[in-house]
Amino acid sequence: MSYKLTGDFVECCDCFTVCPCWVNDVPDEDHCSGLYLWSFADGSQIDGIPVGGMHVAAAAFHAVRSRGQAIFFIDAGKNAAAFEALRKAFSGLDALGKLLGDILDVREATITSTFDQKDFVVEVIVEKRRIAKAEGEDKKFAEADAPMTLRNAALTDELGIGPGEVRVQTMGDLTVDVAALPGGPLYLRGRSGMRGKFCYELQPADSNDKPQAVPASV
């Protein structure tokens, strides 16, 4: 397999202020539930199969004393080849597996995302039911301040950020309602989020190596 996947990434969870995972700290209240979303830019491809404009999302739960669990959702626009390529690519990201834990299922979904300069909205719908929605904006201490950012954080490699930065988000609504995951549904406001650009790249010559995160620019 070979691929180059680039685009916009967002992570939002039920922790406060900044997701502690990004600074290698334990999650607030010893557990973390949330949503991950990758929106692929034009030119993204897997083994020559274009996936630009498509999405992958993951609803996830992990706790201090238990292994994480996640369910992946893929919107490949009813393109079976692209769906299978995305499933294989994300299942093969070892670092991501260590972060999210056991993958319980991979499901088809309709996923939409809007990434404006200062805010974002994402939504995941499965069989006409909205199972996840998140909206947020850059976290600032004052209106004139630049947004809070992190570089060289604990999840930089796992989430394909490379030397780029992630911007801390102030969350509006966060809904994650996936019955198969522990912790129950989330209906929250004002929790933590992170947003940035990602890049995962694996070349044919690297087929015996782990997928690599390469530099990403925000």
Side-chain angles (χ1 to χ4, degrees):
M1 175 176 283
S2 65
Y3 52 74
K4 184 171 184 179
L5 303 170
T6 63
D8 290 286
F9 164 82
V10 66
E11 177 256 3
C12 19
C13 71
D14 56 357
C15 294
F16 297 91
T17 310
V18 176
C19 176
C21 299
W22 288 84
V23 293
N24 202 29
D25 203 352
V26 297
D28 295 342
E29 301 174 341
D30 289 343
H31 64 83
C32 183
S33 296
L35 180 71
Y36 297 76
L37 186 283
W38 295 265
S39 176
F40 303 109
D42 290 344
S44 295
Q45 57 81 27
I46 304 171
D47 287 339
I49 300 172
V51 296
M54 300 179 183
H55 298 81
V56 170
F61 170 88
H62 70 268
V64 172
R65 297 174 185 86
S66 65
R67 180 171 170 80
Q69 299 179 20
I71 295 177
F72 275 86
F73 302 92
I74 297 176
D75 185 347
K78 305 301 182 181
N79 184 323
F83 179 95
E84 183 63 14
L86 285 166
R87 185 192 67 78
K88 287 183 178 180
F90 273 75
S91 297
L93 287 167
D94 289 347
L96 193 59
K98 292 177 182 177
L99 170 65
L100 299 180
D102 297 323
I103 299 175
L104 303 182
D105 198 2
V106 180
R107 302 176 183 174
E108 292 185 1
T110 299
I111 303 174
T112 58
S113 65
T114 301
F115 288 90
D116 292 328
Q117 185 174 358
K118 297 180 180 179
D119 53 23
F120 72 89
V121 179
V122 301
E123 187 174 50
V124 182
I125 296 174
V126 177
E127 297 179 348
K128 299 183 179 181
R129 185 175 75 89
R130 187 175 71 188
I131 59 93
K133 181 182 179 181
E135 57 183 52
E137 60 183 6
D138 290 344
K139 185 175 183 62
K140 297 182 178 181
F141 294 107
E143 185 60 32
D145 289 344
M148 183 191 299
T149 61
L150 293 178
R151 289 182 181 270
N152 302 316
L155 302 186
T156 289
D157 291 336
E158 289 90 335
L159 295 173
I161 307 302
E165 66 182 23
V166 288
R167 304 204 302 266
V168 179
Q169 304 292 287
T170 297
M171 298 301 301
D173 291 328
L174 172 60
T175 299
V176 183
D177 187 359
V178 181
L181 292 175
L186 303 180
Y187 302 102
L188 303 171
R189 288 185 62 85
R191 300 303 176 96
S192 68
M194 308 295 288
R195 172 184 171 181
K197 297 286 187 178
F198 71 89
C199 181
Y200 293 116
E201 185 168 12
L202 184 68
Q203 299 297 335
D206 302 327
S207 59
N208 294 322
D209 298 331
K210 294 180 180 179
Q212 299 293 314
V214 300
S217 59
V218 174

